[in-house]
Amino acid sequence: DEDETETETVIRAWPSQSSLLSADEGSRPSSSASQTSTFVNERLQELVKLFKERTERAKEKLIDPDDSEDETPPASPSKTAAAPPPEPDAEPEPPPAQEAREGHRCCQMKQPNWVRRVLKFRIPTSIDPFTNVVYVLWLFFVSLAWNWNIWLIPVRWAFPYQTPGNIYMWLLTDYLCDLVYILDILVFQPRLQFVRGGDIVCDKKAMRENYMKKLRFKLDVLSLIPLELFYLKTGFNALLRLPRVLKVFSFFEFNDRLEAILTKAFVYRVIRTTTYLLYALHCNACLFYWYSAWQGLGSTQWVYSGEGNSYIRCYYFAVKTLLTIGGLPEPTSLFEIVFQLVNYFVGVFVFSIMIGQMRDVVGAATAGKTYYRACMDNTVKYMAAYRIPKEVQYRVKTWYEYTWQSQGMLDEQELLIHLPDKMRMDIAVDVNYSIVSKVALFQGCDRQMIFDMLKSLRSVVYLPGDYVCKKGEVGREMYIIQAGEVQVVGGPDGKTVFATLKAGSVFGEISLLAIGGGNRRTANVIAHGFTNLFILDKKDLNEILVHYPESQKLLRKKAKKMLTKDKKPTEKKEETKEPAQVIPPRAETPKLFKAALEMTEKSGLKGTLAKLKEKANKSSVSLQPSVSSSLQPTSPLPSQHQEQEAEILSQRSDCSLRTQRAPSCQDEDMTSADEKLEEKAEAGDGGKRKGKKKVD
């Protein structure tokens, strides 16, 4: 009941200006403000009802979650829920046969993702031949068709493998290869982008005209000359398809594009060079069988006897001939002698070329490792010549081996030195930005400043137990851990581990930024295992921060916070400091002045000297410093001023003594002399000395 009364309560909006008027004025036409307040009241009431309903549903769900799962969420308060339509009569359930057909139809409609991608693929209007992977894949099919022709045309011409029973299979494959040639000429080659005057041309007409001006277009057209029409007169002769070999530019282009994609291109180069040698042997075997068939199988001792597999036997003969192995039968006819001589010369020439090319390919593939071996051998010779300890030599060898295994090179900068500055930055960002961006010290700095810093990073490998930096050294470098761990050690024995830093951590930044009173190392850091560090030199960092003052301020601020956080609270020792004096004590009274005072007291005279004594006593009492309470630094008075004051007093004492002892007739003269002396004493030291002479 309480909940129902709460839902029925009306929430009134804030009073409008019209509601503040007295009720005696009677009913007045509703203004725009009153209409707005009425609308707000209605909206607030709706919101309260919705909130109440949601609260009730939440309570029910907590009490019995199974019953509340089927409830649908309420409609949005901004939209009025439409009245539900009248429920129609229940339709009869479909028969199971119809459900099976619908399920089968749904299964047929679902297609794999790769099928959808193939169906959605559209050939672009312009193709970049250097970066488009689809074009490289198409070149593979063109090269496959070209290899079909160059390998099987000699076989079908020389050996009796093409028979009337399988001729249709041969023709079907031939025409499929011709279709690939036609698609390449009509679809792909006219869409290739090219560079003209430094600009990449993507215009359809310009790309088509550029292709038609090349020698490649002419050879591609010649390769499709339909010499197969002569089949009607000469029969199925495979030599009529020999022009298909002219499409050789596609094969060479495929080799270049594939080598640019492969990470280990030297493997493909070795396979391709070996294939060249095998193809030369293949052609020689076909010629040998053709001559044997023309001369007659087994007619002489030199020709093929016709026993066994014809292609394998002839290929074996070609290998022995071209590689000049020996053990061949003696040729009897002129053709046999000429054929054998040509085989010898071609074999020696081709074999030497293949061996030289193979050496170049393998040498280029192992150039990096050869350089690594040469550096390591020279270093070992140097250490042996200077009798370096064996332990140091072992560590040097370990460093070489681990650096080569982890990086594949000794110095990464040597590979990138020939690249433009922009490309080096792109490579550095891709390789190192993911690590440097996680460093807390550089978070919030200018993004471009971090990019410039990445170009200056050097990668160095440290062995287990190596000191990265020692306490007290001059800090000229900052370190970022790329891989591995380092330990901060210290203590009496120098082996106590204070902290362990992992990948992404930074150390050495305090000394590098010259914070904390200098650029000395504040701790010892050693490598816990094999550790790869990025090193940033102080000179390089300063050159970068000159252009980014805001980042420089932020780095210094962060480094100061890190320094104060790492410092341990030290016990404050109470140091007994002498209290500072606000006003220094007056100088000691001169002896002559004291003697004069004593004489006046004994004689019972009270004149100028007595007054001066009283003033001195009063000033000494009032100006005596409070030693126990004053802690402020002394305000030193010049010693010269004190000397002047003492000298003035001494002069006055002398003058007063003389005036007291002089006869009465000269009192006026002595008084005037005293006045003159006081004026000259205030003027300075020079006046004092002149005043003394006058008095005398």
Side-chain angles (χ1 to χ4, degrees):
D1 296 339
E2 292 179 358
D3 296 339
E4 292 178 359
T5 55
E6 289 178 1
T7 55
E8 291 176 358
T9 56
V10 177
I11 297 178
R12 295 183 179 180
W14 52 87
S16 62
Q17 190 175 1
S18 60
S19 63
L20 297 176
L21 299 176
S22 60
D24 299 335
E25 296 178 4
S27 62
R28 300 174 60 183
S30 59
S31 61
S32 60
S34 62
Q35 293 177 0
T36 304
S37 63
T38 304
F39 176 74
V40 170
N41 282 329
E42 294 177 356
R43 299 296 299 144
L44 288 174
Q45 292 174 13
E46 292 178 3
L47 288 174
V48 168
K49 290 180 181 179
L50 292 173
F51 288 152
K52 290 290 183 180
E53 293 176 0
R54 189 174 66 177
T55 305
E56 293 297 331
R57 284 195 302 271
K59 290 180 179 178
E60 293 177 359
K61 188 173 182 180
L62 291 174
I63 296 171
D64 192 1
D66 297 333
D67 297 340
S68 59
E69 285 180 356
D70 298 335
E71 296 182 0
T72 57
S76 175
S78 61
K79 297 181 181 179
T80 306
E87 296 183 359
D89 297 335
E91 297 181 358
E93 296 182 357
Q98 184 177 356
E99 292 181 355
R101 286 196 300 270
E102 290 179 356
H104 182 66
R105 190 180 303 168
C106 294
C107 295
Q108 288 181 347
M109 293 299 293
K110 292 182 180 179
Q111 296 177 348
N113 293 331
W114 66 271
V115 175
R116 296 176 185 175
R117 293 176 183 175
V118 171
L119 294 176
K120 292 181 180 179
F121 176 74
R122 297 293 181 272
I123 300 175
T125 56
S126 63
I127 300 173
D128 185 2
F130 297 98
T131 59
N132 197 320
V133 182
V134 177
Y135 179 67
V136 178
L137 183 61
W138 172 253
L139 287 177
F140 168 73
F141 289 110
V142 177
S143 300
L144 197 63
W146 182 77
N147 278 277
W148 167 269
N149 290 317
I150 66 169
W151 282 85
L152 293 179
I153 286 175
V155 172
R156 293 162 61 186
W157 166 70
F159 291 91
Y161 293 150
Q162 181 175 307
T163 60
N166 59 10
I167 189 61
Y168 297 105
M169 298 298 297
W170 290 103
L171 293 178
L172 178 62
T173 310
D174 290 341
Y175 294 145
L176 285 176
C177 295
D178 293 346
L179 179 62
V180 172
Y181 280 22
I182 294 171
L183 290 176
D184 183 62
I185 295 173
L186 297 179
V187 178
F188 285 90
Q189 295 302 323
R191 298 170 184 259
L192 294 182
Q193 301 173 4
F194 67 97
V195 179
R196 182 172 59 189
D199 297 331
I200 300 176
V201 180
C202 301
D203 183 64
K204 292 182 179 179
K205 185 177 180 181
M207 291 187 295
R208 183 170 59 252
E209 292 177 353
N210 178 67
Y211 172 59
M212 296 177 68
K213 290 178 182 177
K214 292 181 178 179
L215 175 63
R216 180 174 181 174
F217 172 72
K218 299 177 177 64
L219 293 179
D220 290 348
V221 173
L222 289 176
S223 65
L224 289 175
I225 294 177
L227 296 181
E228 287 87 348
L229 296 175
F230 290 99
Y231 283 173
L232 301 175
K233 186 176 182 180
T234 61
F236 296 103
N237 190 354
L239 287 179
L240 295 176
R241 293 186 53 83
L242 197 59
R244 304 295 187 271
V245 182
L246 296 177
K247 200 172 177 59
V248 66
F249 282 99
S250 298
F251 175 71
F252 292 149
E253 185 182 6
F254 171 70
N255 292 331
D256 296 337
R257 301 291 175 264
L258 188 61
E259 289 179 5
I261 294 175
L262 296 176
T263 55
K264 295 183 178 180
F266 69 93
V267 177
Y268 178 73
R269 296 191 191 106
V270 171
I271 296 174
R272 186 182 60 195
T273 304
T274 307
T275 305
Y276 291 158
L277 179 60
L278 296 178
Y279 183 74
L281 297 173
H282 170 77
C283 293
N284 189 274
C286 293
L287 287 174
F288 177 69
Y289 184 84
W290 169 79
Y291 175 74
S292 299
W294 179 72
Q295 186 73 21
L297 298 178
S299 58
T300 62
Q301 186 179 1
W302 187 81
V303 298
Y304 170 58
S305 61
E307 299 177 357
N309 190 307
S310 58
Y311 181 78
I312 298 298
R313 293 295 181 93
C314 293
Y315 201 90
Y316 174 73
F317 175 83
V319 170
K320 293 174 65 176
T321 304
L322 288 179
L323 300 183
T324 62
I325 296 175
L328 297 172
E330 292 292 333
T332 55
S333 64
L334 179 63
F335 180 83
E336 294 175 359
I337 295 173
V338 172
F339 184 82
Q340 194 70 15
L341 290 175
V342 172
N343 279 344
Y344 284 147
F345 282 112
V346 172
V348 171
F349 182 71
V350 171
F351 189 72
S352 61
I353 291 177
M354 296 302 170
I355 294 298
Q357 189 174 2
M358 191 73 71
R359 177 184 175 277
D360 294 339
V361 171
V362 176
T366 59
K369 195 166 187 177
T370 303
Y371 173 73
Y372 150 72
R373 288 292 181 188
C375 292
M376 186 173 178
D377 294 342
N378 293 333
T379 306
V380 171
K381 289 180 182 178
Y382 174 83
M383 292 188 295
Y386 285 90
R387 298 179 180 179
I388 305 298
K390 292 294 183 181
E391 183 179 356
V392 178
Q393 294 186 23
Y394 173 74
R395 293 183 67 82
V396 171
K397 293 178 183 178
T398 305
W399 182 88
Y400 268 107
E401 293 176 358
Y402 179 78
T403 303
W404 176 256
Q405 292 177 2
S406 60
Q407 299 181 172
M409 63 195 74
L410 297 179
D411 189 4
E412 296 178 352
Q413 301 298 327
E414 293 182 358
L415 297 178
L416 309 177
I417 193 172
H418 300 292
L419 294 177
D421 188 66
K422 182 64 173 62
M423 289 187 179
R424 288 205 305 270
M425 178 181 290
D426 294 340
I427 294 175
V429 169
D430 293 337
V431 175
N432 304 328
Y433 182 74
S434 59
I435 298 174
V436 178
S437 61
K438 297 177 182 177
V439 177
L441 181 65
F442 300 120
Q443 291 180 359
C445 295
D446 195 325
R447 187 182 181 89
Q448 188 61 38
M449 187 274 290
I450 298 178
F451 289 168
D452 293 342
M453 188 181 64
L454 291 176
K455 295 187 297 182
S456 304
L457 294 178
R458 294 182 293 108
S459 179
V460 179
V461 176
Y462 286 87
L463 301 183
D466 283 353
Y467 274 90
V468 181
C469 59
K470 292 185 177 181
K471 185 177 182 179
E473 290 181 346
V474 177
R476 300 185 181 89
E477 296 170 336
M478 181 176 67
Y479 304 92
I480 303 174
I481 303 176
Q482 181 186 10
E485 296 179 356
V486 297
Q487 293 179 340
V488 183
V489 298
D493 56 350
K495 297 181 180 179
T496 304
V497 179
F498 295 134
T500 301
L501 306 178
K502 299 183 179 181
S505 301
V506 179
F507 61 94
E509 71 280 0
I510 298 175
S511 299
L512 191 66
L513 295 172
I515 294 172
N519 59 345
R520 297 277 183 174
R521 299 295 187 191
T522 58
N524 296 329
V525 180
I526 63 173
H528 182 55
F530 289 98
T531 308
N532 197 343
L533 302 179
F534 285 134
I535 298 179
L536 179 62
D537 191 69
K538 183 176 184 179
K539 180 181 177 182
D540 298 334
L541 181 62
N542 291 336
E543 291 177 356
I544 294 171
L545 292 179
V546 167
H547 305 287
Y548 304 96
E550 297 297 331
S551 299
Q552 185 178 13
K553 294 178 182 178
L554 181 63
L555 287 177
R556 291 185 180 277
K557 186 176 180 181
K558 287 186 176 182
K560 286 180 180 179
K561 289 183 179 179
M562 294 171 65
L563 183 63
T564 56
K565 183 179 179 180
D566 294 338
K567 281 186 176 180
K568 295 182 178 180
T570 56
E571 297 180 358
K572 295 182 179 180
K573 298 180 180 179
E574 296 182 357
E575 299 180 357
T576 59
K577 296 183 179 180
E578 296 182 358
Q581 297 178 355
V582 179
I583 298 176
R586 293 180 65 86
E588 188 178 356
T589 305
K591 294 181 180 179
L592 182 61
F593 184 62
K594 289 181 179 180
L597 290 176
E598 291 176 358
M599 291 295 296
T600 55
E601 289 177 357
K602 288 179 181 179
S603 59
L605 298 176
K606 290 186 179 180
T608 306
L609 295 176
K611 294 179 181 179
L612 289 173
K613 183 179 179 182
E614 292 176 0
K615 290 181 180 179
N617 292 333
K618 291 179 181 180
S619 63
S620 63
V621 172
S622 62
L623 296 177
Q624 185 177 3
S626 178
V627 175
S628 61
S629 62
S630 176
L631 294 174
Q632 298 180 358
T634 62
S635 58
L637 297 174
S639 59
Q640 185 178 0
H641 181 68
Q642 297 174 2
E643 293 175 0
Q644 291 177 3
E645 195 175 22
E647 193 169 353
I648 291 169
L649 293 174
S650 65
Q651 289 174 359
R652 289 182 177 180
S653 65
D654 294 340
C655 295
S656 61
L657 285 171
R658 288 172 184 170
T659 54
Q660 291 288 337
R661 292 177 183 177
S664 61
C665 63
Q666 296 178 353
D667 288 342
E668 295 178 358
D669 296 333
M670 296 302 294
T671 304
S672 62
D674 290 337
E675 292 176 356
K676 290 179 181 179
L677 282 173
E678 289 176 0
E679 292 175 359
K680 290 179 180 180
E682 292 175 358
D685 295 336
K688 296 171 192 175
R689 293 172 184 172
K690 291 178 182 179
K692 285 183 181 181
K693 290 178 181 179
K694 275 188 176 185
V695 173
D696 296 337

